[in-house]
């Protein structure tokens, strides 16, 4: 797993209080990890803070899984 | 009008986590006042507070993880956690866990707070200033709003009846219980989870109340002496934190399911001083009318009151309340016991009236008046027994609990032993 993926995973575990083994690339924040719509807003804010990137609202709406977040951040930092 | 009884109690207080542990420690004259060490107080005039003992949950300590998942705790200010904990305890104590549509819809929640999530608002203010609006959490608002205690309790326990909250400063807890009882009397609900919760102990709150000249500042070197209602050396209140929640129930509803009945709520009175934003009217008129109104509603004469849990904050206002009570009870003064439990737990602001209503209920249950600590030299002479230093065993069938708040908002509750 890349450094970005590890850091994303840690944020998800901390914020959603879920077991590490559930936080896989295809895991949906809402369907698989128990997040509600406010949790996902806060997650996106935490990604912005951690990686120093800005995630506009329309982009945030398309970040539904752990993998989506990693891909977005990798692209933004490339 | 339908009759309303208390069938469950829950409490997180500076004397411990739980109604019984708090009550037993109160009766043993334990004093919760401590020097604040959790944050900087060097530059604050008031450095003493009554904090909830925290720990792993054993020996009466409060462990927030027992009451709310850590990831959820992060989203709310502590007053919501205290309220959730006390509500869980009260519902368990009452054995009321509604599962049918009918029972859920018949059960409401009315929990208030005096000031809500002050510390969280301060922190969000720093975030806004230092990092900008994009860093304000989506949980900032729902984690601070006062009515979110009622909201969270209703969600956890599926209570789908009236959902309400009270904000009347230091009268909040009493107003919440009184208003909830009225909702049951009028048929809006059969069961109400009601009370108050507060987590005010932080720098801005100590600074603000001290600026109002409301806090004790002369006993920082001997914290256990700081809260001393009616004593000539009192110089302000000591801030406390916690929650008190009761389950109120329509009498026949309670009887039909064989619920344990602590006491009946027979009277509730409200009044306004229309005098000053922080000081009570000097003639005690607001307090007097409030108590009179509660007794009239109860159909009880003042001479039948056995115990009064005073508002008694350890400020100059103590003697104003005492004067109003003397006027109320007249020649019966010598048969009444009146104490201020704020001498042991401090002033829990929006939770005070609820915690004190529970103490009044237990005073009836156990026939014992809890003590007024630190009452070494009464400021004025009175025929009323102020229960100095030690709890007093005595017959208590009727108790009156007073709460008065900034803005001149007053509430009195009258509780009576329930005999089946």
């Amino acid at each position: 797993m890349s450094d970005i993926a590890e850091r994303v995973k840690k944020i998800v575990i901390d914020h959603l209080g879920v077991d590490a083994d559930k936080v896989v690339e295809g895991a949906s924040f809402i369907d698989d990890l128990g997040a509600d719509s406010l949790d996902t807003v806060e997650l996106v804010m935490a990604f912005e803070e951690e990686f120093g990137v800005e995630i506009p609202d329309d982009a945030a709406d398309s970040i539904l899984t752990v993998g989506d977040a990693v891909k977005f951040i990798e692209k933004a930092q490339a | 009008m339908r009759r309303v009884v208390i069938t469950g109690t829950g409490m997180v207080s500076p004397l411990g986590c739980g109604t019984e542990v708090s009550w037993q420690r109160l009766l043993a004259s334990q004093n919760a006042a401590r020097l604040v060490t959790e944050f900087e107080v060097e530059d604050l005039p008031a450095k003493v507070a009554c904090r909830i003992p925290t720990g792993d949950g054993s020996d009466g300590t409060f462990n927030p993880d027992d009451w709310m998942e850590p990831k959820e705790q992060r989203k709310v200010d502590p007053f919501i956690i205290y309220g959730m904990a006390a509500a869980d305890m009260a519902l368990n104590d009452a054995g009321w866990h509604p599962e049918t549509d009918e029972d859920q819809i018949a059960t409401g929640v009315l929990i208030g707070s005096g000031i809500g999530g002050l510390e969280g608002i301060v922190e969000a203010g720093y975030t806004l200033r230092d990092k900008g609006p994009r860093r304000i959490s989506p949980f900032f608002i729902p984690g601070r709003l006062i009515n979110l205690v009622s909201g969270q309790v209703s969600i956890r326990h599926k209570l789908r009846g009236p959902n309400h909250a009270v904000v009347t400063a230091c009268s909040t807890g009493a107003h919440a219980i009184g208003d909830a009882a009225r909702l049951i009397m009028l048929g809006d609900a059969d069961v109400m989870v009601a009370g108050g919760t507060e987590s005010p102990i932080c720098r801005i709150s100590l600074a603000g109340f001290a600026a109002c000249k409301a806090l004790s500042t002369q006993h920082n070197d001997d914290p256990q002496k700081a809260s001393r209602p009616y004593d000539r050396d009192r110089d302000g209140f000591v801030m406390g934190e916690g929650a008190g929640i009761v389950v109120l129930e329509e009498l026949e509803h309670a009887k039909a399911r064989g619920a344990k009945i602590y006491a009946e709520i027979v009277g509730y009175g409200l009044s306004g001083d229309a005098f000053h934003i922080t000081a009570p009217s000097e003639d005690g008129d607001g307090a007097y009318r409030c108590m009179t109104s509660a007794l009239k509603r109860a159909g009880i004469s003042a001479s039948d009151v056995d115990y009064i849990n005073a508002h008694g904050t350890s400020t100059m206002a103590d003697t104003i309340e005492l004067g109003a009570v003397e006027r109320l009870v007249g020649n019966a003064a010598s048969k009444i016991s009146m104490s201020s439990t704020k001498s042991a737990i401090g002033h829990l602001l929006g939770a005070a009236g609820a915690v004190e209503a529970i103490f009044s209920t237990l005073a009836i249950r156990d026939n014992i008046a809890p003590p007024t600590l630190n009452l070494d030299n009464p400021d004025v002479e009175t025929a009323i027994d102020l229960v100095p230093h030690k709890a007093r065993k005595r017959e208590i069938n009727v108790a009156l609990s007073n709460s008065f708040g900034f803005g001149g908002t007053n509430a009195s509750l009258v509780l009576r032993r329930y005999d089946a």
Side-chain angles (χ1 to χ4, degrees):
Chain A
M1 218 181 247
S2 70
D3 169 56
I4 287 175
E6 281 299 333
R7 285 155 72 192
V8 165
K9 188 171 170 178
K10 184 173 184 311
I11 287 170
V12 172
I13 292 168
D14 287 351
H15 279 259
L16 301 183
V18 289
D19 292 338
D21 56 5
K22 284 191 179 163
V23 187
V24 294
E25 190 183 342
S28 157
F29 299 128
I30 289 177
D31 296 335
D32 301 319
L33 301 177
D36 66 18
S37 60
L38 296 181
D39 289 316
T40 61
V41 173
E42 199 183 47
L43 269 182
V44 166
M45 286 173 52
F47 297 147
E48 290 185 329
E49 180 108 12
E50 171 75 13
F51 297 101
V53 297
E54 188 165 323
I55 305 178
D57 286 351
D58 54 344
D61 289 345
S62 66
I63 297 176
L64 304 176
T65 66
V66 176
D68 292 343
V70 173
K71 269 180 227 141
F72 182 93
I73 294 159
E74 282 174 346
K75 209 167 156 190
Q77 289 197 330
Chain B
M1 206 77 91
R2 309 200 307 165
R3 294 169 69 182
V4 178
V5 291
I6 297 173
T7 56
T9 72
M11 184 184 296
V12 184
S13 87
L15 286 176
C17 177
T19 299
E20 290 301 333
V21 69
S22 298
W23 176 238
Q24 294 306 329
R25 287 173 179 175
L26 178 72
L27 295 181
S29 299
Q30 290 192 26
N31 184 325
R34 304 278 182 276
L35 193 67
V36 173
T37 54
E38 296 81 1
F39 52 85
E40 182 60 56
V41 291
E42 190 53 40
D43 56 351
L44 293 171
K47 308 180 199 302
V48 176
C50 294
R51 309 230 56 170
I52 293 166
T54 53
D56 63 3
S58 63
D59 194 29
T61 57
F62 176 71
N63 179 0
D65 296 353
D66 291 344
W67 309 99
M68 191 183 264
E69 283 184 48
K71 77 178 172 86
E72 299 301 322
Q73 291 174 33
R74 208 172 42 78
K75 301 172 183 173
V76 300
D77 262 26
F79 78 103
I80 293 182
I81 306 173
Y82 302 159
M84 293 285 275
D88 277 15
M89 291 176 214
L91 285 161
N92 285 333
D93 186 33
W96 182 242
H97 304 287
E99 286 172 9
T100 65
D101 273 355
E102 187 187 356
D103 286 348
Q104 290 177 354
I105 290 166
T107 307
V109 190
L110 205 173
I111 299 168
S113 181
I115 45 182
L118 202 49
E119 193 166 21
I121 292 172
V122 171
E123 283 166 10
Y126 291 143
T127 301
L128 179 66
R129 185 191 63 193
D130 298 338
K131 297 182 176 177
R134 286 183 61 83
R135 289 289 170 274
I136 297 295
S137 164
F139 300 107
F140 165 55
I141 297 293
R144 318 273 104 67
L145 289 181
I146 281 172
N147 74 295
L148 259 285
V149 188
S150 292
Q152 293 260 19
V153 167
S154 74
I155 293 164
R156 175 177 289 181
H157 299 282
K158 304 270 182 289
L159 311 180
R160 296 153 67 202
N163 199 272
H164 201 348
V166 172
V167 181
T168 49
C170 307
S171 295
T172 297
H175 274 139
I177 291 173
D179 288 352
R182 292 244 164 118
L183 289 176
I184 295 174
M185 288 174 188
L186 293 169
D188 295 278
D190 292 330
V191 182
M192 290 293 295
V193 180
T197 179
E198 203 81 80
S199 55
I201 302 171
C202 61
R203 278 175 60 77
I204 195 168
S205 155
L206 285 174
F209 279 97
C212 293
K213 304 294 178 198
L215 295 179
S216 170
T217 59
Q218 299 303 310
H219 301 278
N220 291 331
D221 53 353
D222 195 358
Q224 302 245 312
K225 299 285 183 197
S227 186
R228 43 193 319 112
Y230 315 111
D231 189 83
R232 70 177 184 209
D233 296 323
R234 71 194 186 283
D235 71 318
F237 77 76
V238 172
M239 202 177 281
E241 62 183 348
I245 308 276
V246 294
V247 173
L248 302 178
E249 195 162 345
E250 193 270 326
L251 175 61
E252 298 305 322
H253 189 278
K255 280 160 68 178
R257 67 183 189 90
K260 161 187 67 189
I261 295 175
Y262 280 95
E264 180 173 1
I265 302 213
V266 289
Y268 171 43
L270 313 81
S271 73
D273 280 356
F275 176 72
H276 187 268
I277 52 172
T278 61
S281 58
E282 285 154 20
D283 59 2
D285 167 69
Y288 176 79
R289 284 187 292 107
C290 181
M291 292 186 283
T292 307
S293 164
L295 288 171
K296 184 181 171 193
R297 172 70 62 176
I300 286 175
S301 76
S303 60
D304 289 330
V305 175
D306 300 303
Y307 171 67
I308 298 175
N309 189 298
H311 185 58
T313 54
S314 185
T315 61
M316 290 306 124
D318 293 357
T319 45
I320 296 176
E321 180 186 14
L322 183 57
V325 169
E326 285 179 327
R327 185 177 156 206
L328 179 82
V329 301
N331 293 332
S334 62
K335 66 172 279 287
I336 288 175
S337 294
M338 167 163 133
S339 61
S340 169
T341 47
K342 290 184 178 78
S343 59
I345 62 170
H347 190 354
L348 274 60
L349 308 178
V355 164
E356 291 162 14
I358 294 172
F359 287 155
S360 302
T361 303
L362 300 176
I364 292 171
R365 184 191 70 179
D366 296 346
N367 282 308
I368 188 165
T372 304
L373 306 185
N374 289 322
L375 182 48
D376 298 331
N377 300 292
D379 194 21
V380 290
E381 279 190 28
T382 178
I384 295 171
D385 164 34
L386 296 175
V387 203
H389 305 299
K390 288 192 183 311
R392 190 182 314 287
K393 283 294 286 181
R394 56 156 295 162
E395 187 179 12
I396 299 177
N397 293 308
V398 175
L400 186 147
S401 185
N402 280 338
S403 297
F404 312 131
F406 278 6
T409 174
N410 312 305
S412 296
L413 294 167
V414 182
L415 304 156
R416 185 169 58 195
R417 179 182 305 281
Y418 176 75
D419 289 315

